[in-house]
């Protein structure tokens, strides 16, 4: 017996082990997408395109990392870290094979609010080198990156929590007009934040409601303080960037490798600034000292998490929405699928883990993703190759960027936002397709401009829900036989003195609290319409009605006016095929309609009901004894009406 029990236990244990192994393997493939595409990587076909894309992406990562770090009000070197670690994490957990994760203008702008609020601007600048902090930076700079890292950490925790709660399925509320308007408004904010660098002005940090307008008011009030050298260099940089990028776009099919104009501009501007000593001769702001190497990981300051909750939610939502739109676009373009919920996990980890390495909040950027498209990238290997090159910049080339003018970095930021700013062209499309979507776009953009990106996003979602509710209430709830009224005049007596009207009505929408009232009104109107038609004058026998009539016949027969006969009994068959779901209010309305029809001597039959609907109607209306109102099909209900007609006829003859 002992041997038999041991044998049985071993079999059970093997089954449990095999079950767990299969589950673990499935979970790993689902949560680590790199395990799905990496084993199938084709070196001969994919390596060269990914290598070229990785080199071009590294140029963008370095330039945008420096620029967006300044936008986030932290030292530029932290932007290089933000271009390295998030890209590695997303390559492992992300499903977008052509999505370039790293520093992002919108999340940098949001985190700058927390940085400037908790660690306001002091006398220190980027050229100050105080060895009291890590990397040879001052304590002031370390405090600032601590706040930005805390925002990144908490924003990532929020995204992971949304992944656990499976809120990725709620992204259907993020419609295209809302995302387009929010990103366009946020891009306008970013451009506005760079005005002080483009003009070479000394300007205090301005944020909060209507801060967009206060910035321009300050600029016009202090227009005389514009630095001409910075303005001219900014204009020249913008013209060169736009011109060369347009040429790259025009001839991208003829040339295999586009000109990395961002890198060329940085090298040329840094060299010119160094040779002309522009920092001291003209007073131009430069990037300053950039330390080499990566510091030891350190946890973000947890004591300030409660003070950055607002910015963390903004980073979590805005970053995810912008990144998901790019991932879905790439998936649609290259024919693969993206799990919305898995993207929450990927971006959450891309914010949480890098926050221990002094990284600012991250997300996918439109410019970098478009660059991967144009260079023929195949997989996330391109992003991993770019990380190797960024690592080389951090350890070897970074200190050489000391002389890079700030106005040139600001120009790179502004031109890099071109893809978002030209979304204004979507207004024509929305106007021609749906005026309500056009209104949502405009109102979301205005709220984003007046307040912030997260406020505009929330407003757009609320507007979308409100529009859906209003439209749902006003939508047609039922149709009479595929939108056409079907009136079957069934002869119940040989002499034709008593006819029975059968009305077949189809439900078009779910029956819930939003449309229950309108459904009841539409149904009663359809029935009352028949009752009104049945109010006949004395000359009711002018034309015998023994044919099938429709709603357009107007009761005419052989050129003479014919009227329905009196004492005509009506039956309503409600086809519930389109009733996909319901709630208590909807079922109560259905029961109320049954009671009202019963009170008007109208037979009320339900066809094609699901088991749950049948059970709910019986329970809500105490109709356990009235099971004859439920039928499997419309034809079965019509057959029951004919059967009742014959039984009634037989009963009348028996009484006679």
């Amino acid at each position: 017996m002992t041997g038999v029990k041991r044998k049985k236990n071993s079999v059970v244990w093997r089954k449990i082990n095999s079950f767990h192994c299969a589950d673990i393997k499935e979970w790993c493939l689902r949560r680590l997408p790199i395990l799905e595409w990496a084993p199938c990587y084709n070196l001969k076909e994919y390596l060269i395109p990914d290598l070229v894309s990785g080199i071009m992406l590294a140029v963008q990562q370095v330039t945008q990392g420096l620029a967006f770090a300044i936008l986030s009000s932290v030292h530029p070197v932290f932007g290089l870290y933000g271009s390295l670690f998030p890209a590695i994490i997303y390559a492992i957990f992300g499903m977008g094979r052509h999505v370039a994760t790293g520093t992002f203008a919108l999340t940098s702008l949001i985190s700058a609010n927390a940085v400037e609020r908790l660690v306001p601007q002091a006398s220190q600048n980027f050229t100050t080198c105080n060895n009291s902090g890590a990397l040879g930076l001052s304590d002031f700079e370390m405090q600032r990156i601590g706040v930005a890292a805390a925002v990144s950490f908490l924003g990532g925790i929020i995204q992971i929590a949304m992944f656990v709660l499976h809120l990725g399925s709620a992204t259907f509320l993020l419609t295209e007009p809302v995302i387009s308007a929010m990103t366009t408004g946020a891009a306008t904010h970013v451009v506005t934040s760079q005005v002080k660098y483009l003009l070479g002005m000394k300007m205090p940090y301005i944020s909060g409601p209507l801060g967009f307008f206060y910035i321009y008011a300050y600029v016009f009030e202090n227009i005389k303080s514009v630095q001409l050298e910075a303005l001219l260099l900014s204009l020249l940089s913008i013209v060169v960037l736009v011109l060369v990028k347009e040429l790259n776009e025009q001839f991208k099919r003829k040339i295999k490798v586009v000109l990395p104009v961002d890198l060329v501009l940085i090298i040329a501007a840094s060299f010119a600034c160094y040779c002309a000593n522009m920092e001291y001769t003209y007073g131009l702001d430069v990037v300053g000292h950039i330390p080499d190497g990566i510091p030891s990981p350190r946890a973000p300051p947890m004591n300030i998490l409660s003070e950055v909750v607002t910015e963390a939610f903004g980073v979590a939502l805005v970053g995810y929405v912008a990144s998901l739109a790019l991932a879905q676009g790439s998936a649609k373009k290259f024919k693969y699928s993206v799990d919305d919920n898995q993207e929450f996990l990927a971006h959450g980890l891309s914010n949480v883990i890098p926050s221990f390495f002094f990284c600012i909040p991250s997300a996918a950027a439109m410019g970098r993703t478009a660059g991967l498209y144009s260079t023929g990238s195949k997989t996330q290997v391109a992003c991993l190759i770019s990380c190797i090159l960024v690592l080389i910049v951090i350890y070897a080339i970074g200190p050489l960027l000391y002389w890079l003018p700030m106005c040139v970095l600001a120009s790179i930021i502004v031109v890099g936002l071109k893809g978002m700013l030209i979304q204004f062209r979507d207004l024509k499309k929305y106007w021609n397709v749906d005026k309500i979507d056009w209104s949502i776009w405009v109102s979301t953009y205005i709220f984003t401009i007046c307040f912030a990106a997260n406020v505009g996003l929330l407003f757009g979602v609320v507007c979308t829900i409100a529009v859906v509710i209003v439209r749902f209430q006003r939508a047609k709830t039922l149709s009479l036989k595929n939108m056409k009224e079907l009136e079957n005049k069934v002869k119940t007596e040989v002499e034709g003195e008593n006819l029975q009207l059968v009305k077949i009505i189809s439900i078009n929408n779910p029956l819930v609290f939003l449309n229950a009232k309108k459904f009841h009104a539409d149904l009663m109107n359809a029935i009352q319409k028949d009752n009104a038609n049945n109010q006949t004058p004395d000359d009711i026998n002018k034309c015998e009605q023994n044919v099938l009539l429709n709603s357009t016949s107007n009761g005419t027969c052989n050129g003479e006016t014919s009227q329905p006969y009196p004492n005509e009994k009506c039956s309503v068959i409600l086809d519930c095929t389109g009733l996909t779901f319901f709630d208590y209010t909807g079922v109560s309305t259905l029961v109320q309609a049954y009671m009202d029809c019963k009170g008007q001597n109208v037979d009320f039959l339900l066809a094609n009901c699901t088991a749950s609907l049948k059970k709910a109607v019986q329970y809500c209306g105490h109709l356990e004894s009235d099971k004859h109102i439920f039928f499997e099909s419309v034809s079965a209900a019509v057959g029951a009406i004919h059967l009742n007609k014959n039984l009634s006829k037989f009963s009348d003859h028996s009484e006679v």
Side-chain angles (χ1 to χ4, degrees):
M1 291 296 294
T2 305
V4 174
K5 288 184 178 180
R6 287 180 179 177
K7 187 175 181 180
K8 289 183 178 180
N9 290 337
S10 62
V11 171
V12 173
W13 181 249
R14 282 198 303 270
K15 289 184 178 180
I16 293 174
N17 282 340
S18 62
F19 175 77
H20 284 302
C21 290
D23 283 350
I24 292 174
K25 182 179 180 180
E26 182 183 356
W27 183 90
C28 290
L29 291 175
R30 189 169 65 251
R31 298 307 173 204
L32 298 172
I34 192 174
L35 299 179
E36 181 178 352
W37 59 263
C40 305
Y41 189 79
N42 191 330
L43 285 174
K44 293 182 179 180
E45 185 178 352
Y46 294 166
L47 184 58
I48 298 300
D50 282 344
L51 180 61
V52 174
S53 300
I55 295 173
M56 302 305 298
L57 178 60
V59 174
Q60 290 182 302
Q61 289 279 34
V62 171
T63 54
Q64 293 184 3
L66 295 172
F68 294 155
I70 295 173
L71 181 61
S72 190
S73 297
V74 298
H75 194 280
V77 72
F78 300 118
L80 297 179
Y81 303 155
S83 301
L84 173 64
F85 294 103
I88 297 175
I89 301 300
Y90 184 83
I92 298 173
F93 293 94
M95 299 190 70
R97 301 174 191 173
H98 302 80
V99 174
T101 302
T103 55
F104 186 45
L106 307 188
T107 55
S108 297
L109 186 65
I110 294 173
S111 65
N113 294 332
V115 172
E116 294 288 349
R117 188 181 73 251
L118 298 179
V119 188
Q121 183 66 45
S123 59
Q124 290 92 338
N125 53 45
F126 293 140
T127 60
T128 300
C129 184
N130 187 347
N131 293 328
S132 61
L135 296 169
L137 299 176
S138 64
D139 291 336
F140 171 76
E141 293 296 344
M142 299 309 298
Q143 290 175 6
R144 287 202 148 195
I145 187 57
V147 175
V151 173
S152 178
F153 175 80
L154 187 56
I157 292 296
I158 293 172
Q159 289 175 328
I160 294 175
M162 291 179 175
F163 159 76
V164 173
L165 297 174
H166 292 275
L167 294 183
S169 58
T171 54
F172 69 92
L173 296 173
L174 305 172
T175 60
E176 182 181 337
V178 172
I179 296 176
S180 174
M182 183 273 295
T183 52
T184 306
T188 309
H189 269 297
V190 174
V191 172
T192 302
S193 69
Q194 297 305 298
V195 168
K196 62 179 180 180
Y197 297 117
L198 295 173
L199 302 180
M201 296 179 61
K202 303 295 182 183
M203 182 189 302
Y205 183 79
I206 301 175
S207 64
L210 304 180
F212 173 84
F213 303 100
Y214 291 141
I215 290 176
Y216 286 105
Y218 184 91
V219 169
F220 286 112
E221 289 176 0
N222 300 272
I223 196 68
K224 294 182 180 180
S225 63
V226 172
Q227 194 174 10
L228 185 60
E229 295 80 6
L231 177 59
L232 293 176
L233 187 55
S234 299
L235 291 175
L236 179 61
S237 301
I238 291 175
V239 170
V240 171
L241 288 169
V242 172
L243 182 61
V244 175
K245 289 189 175 185
E246 285 296 326
L247 291 176
N248 285 337
E249 187 68 22
Q250 291 293 331
F251 298 100
K252 65 180 181 180
R253 295 183 179 179
K254 297 182 180 180
I255 55 177
K256 294 183 179 180
V257 180
V258 297
L259 178 64
V261 62
D262 294 352
L263 179 61
V264 173
L265 180 62
I266 286 177
I267 295 174
S270 301
F271 183 74
C273 184
Y274 170 76
C275 294
N277 199 16
M278 293 182 182
E279 181 184 9
Y280 300 105
T281 304
Y282 302 107
L284 284 180
D285 287 337
V286 297
V287 170
H289 170 67
I290 296 182
D292 56 353
I294 298 177
S296 301
R298 181 188 301 176
M302 301 297 174
N303 57 326
I304 64 172
L305 292 182
S306 59
E307 302 181 55
V308 298
V309 172
T310 303
E311 289 80 10
F313 267 103
V315 164
L317 296 178
V318 174
Y320 172 75
V321 169
S323 302
L324 181 64
L326 294 175
Q328 290 176 338
S330 65
K332 183 178 180 181
K333 183 179 180 68
F334 296 100
K335 310 299 181 183
Y336 60 88
S337 61
V338 169
D339 183 359
D340 297 349
N341 209 51
Q342 176 66 19
E343 290 297 291
F344 262 130
L345 176 64
H347 288 290
L349 294 176
S350 297
N351 277 311
V352 171
I353 298 176
S355 67
F356 289 83
F357 294 91
F358 305 96
C359 292
I360 59 178
S362 65
M366 181 182 294
R368 296 194 298 266
T369 302
L372 290 179
Y373 291 172
S374 61
T375 53
S377 171
K378 300 298 182 182
T379 64
Q380 280 289 329
V381 170
C383 296
L384 296 177
I385 292 174
S386 73
C387 292
I388 296 175
L389 299 178
V390 171
L391 198 60
I392 294 174
V393 172
I394 292 174
Y395 276 96
I397 305 176
L400 300 178
L401 300 174
Y402 178 97
W403 298 98
L404 178 61
M406 298 288 292
C407 59
V408 174
L409 271 182
S411 301
I412 293 175
I413 292 177
V414 172
V415 176
L417 295 172
K418 175 190 171 185
M420 293 184 182
L421 294 174
I422 63 175
Q423 291 180 131
F424 278 109
R425 296 184 299 186
D426 293 343
L427 284 173
K428 181 180 179 181
K429 174 180 65 176
Y430 297 132
W431 178 265
N432 292 328
V433 175
D434 188 1
K435 303 296 190 298
I436 293 180
D437 279 344
W438 183 89
S439 303
I440 291 176
W441 197 103
V442 173
S443 57
T444 302
Y445 177 80
I446 292 175
F447 262 74
T448 303
I449 288 297
C450 294
F451 300 99
N454 50 347
V455 177
L457 179 64
L458 180 61
F459 174 80
V461 171
V462 171
C463 283
T464 302
I465 296 175
V467 168
V468 170
I469 292 175
V470 172
R471 283 181 165 180
F472 200 82
Q473 288 177 330
R474 299 178 63 182
K476 193 170 183 180
T477 56
L478 50 84
S479 63
L480 303 180
K481 197 61 178 180
N482 296 328
M483 310 300 291
K484 293 182 180 180
E485 187 174 346
L486 180 66
E487 296 177 347
N488 290 320
K489 297 292 183 176
V490 182
K491 191 173 182 180
T492 57
E493 292 188 10
V494 178
E495 295 82 3
E497 294 180 354
N498 189 21
L499 298 176
Q500 188 174 43
L501 177 67
V502 178
K503 222 170 182 52
I504 304 174
I505 301 175
S506 299
I507 301 180
N508 297 329
N509 294 317
L511 192 56
V512 294
F513 69 97
L514 294 174
N515 64 341
K517 185 176 181 180
K518 188 174 187 302
F519 165 80
H520 186 269
D522 291 345
L523 183 62
M524 292 299 104
N525 287 338
I527 296 174
Q528 290 173 4
K529 175 183 175 183
D530 294 329
N531 291 338
N533 290 336
N534 293 338
Q535 301 297 325
T536 58
D538 295 335
D539 52 348
I540 59 175
N541 292 321
K542 289 184 178 180
C543 178
E544 183 180 53
Q545 310 229 352
N546 55 2
V547 296
L548 178 67
L549 300 180
N550 57 38
S551 61
T552 59
S553 64
N554 295 324
T556 57
C557 180
N558 297 328
E560 297 183 359
T561 302
S562 63
Q563 301 291 344
Y565 293 99
N567 301 324
E568 187 175 359
K569 188 177 181 181
C570 177
S571 297
V572 175
I573 300 176
L574 201 61
D575 184 5
C576 300
T577 305
L579 206 163
T580 53
F581 65 89
F582 52 87
D583 62 3
Y584 180 81
T585 304
V587 174
S588 299
T589 303
L590 205 58
V591 173
Q592 183 62 39
Y594 168 75
M595 295 299 180
D596 293 343
C597 290
K598 192 174 182 180
Q600 298 179 19
N601 196 27
V602 175
D603 291 336
F604 188 84
L605 310 179
L606 298 175
N608 296 313
C609 295
T610 62
S612 58
L613 176 62
K614 181 178 178 181
K615 181 179 179 181
V617 171
Q618 289 178 337
Y619 179 81
C620 186
H622 304 288
L623 304 178
E624 289 79 3
S625 59
D626 294 342
K627 294 183 180 180
H628 60 277
I629 69 172
F630 301 101
F631 297 91
E632 295 182 355
S633 63
V634 174
S635 58
V638 174
I641 293 174
H642 282 282
L643 180 61
N644 291 337
K645 171 201 68 176
N646 294 331
L647 291 176
S648 177
K649 178 180 177 181
F650 178 77
S651 177
D652 292 342
H653 282 292
S654 299
E655 291 178 1
V656 172

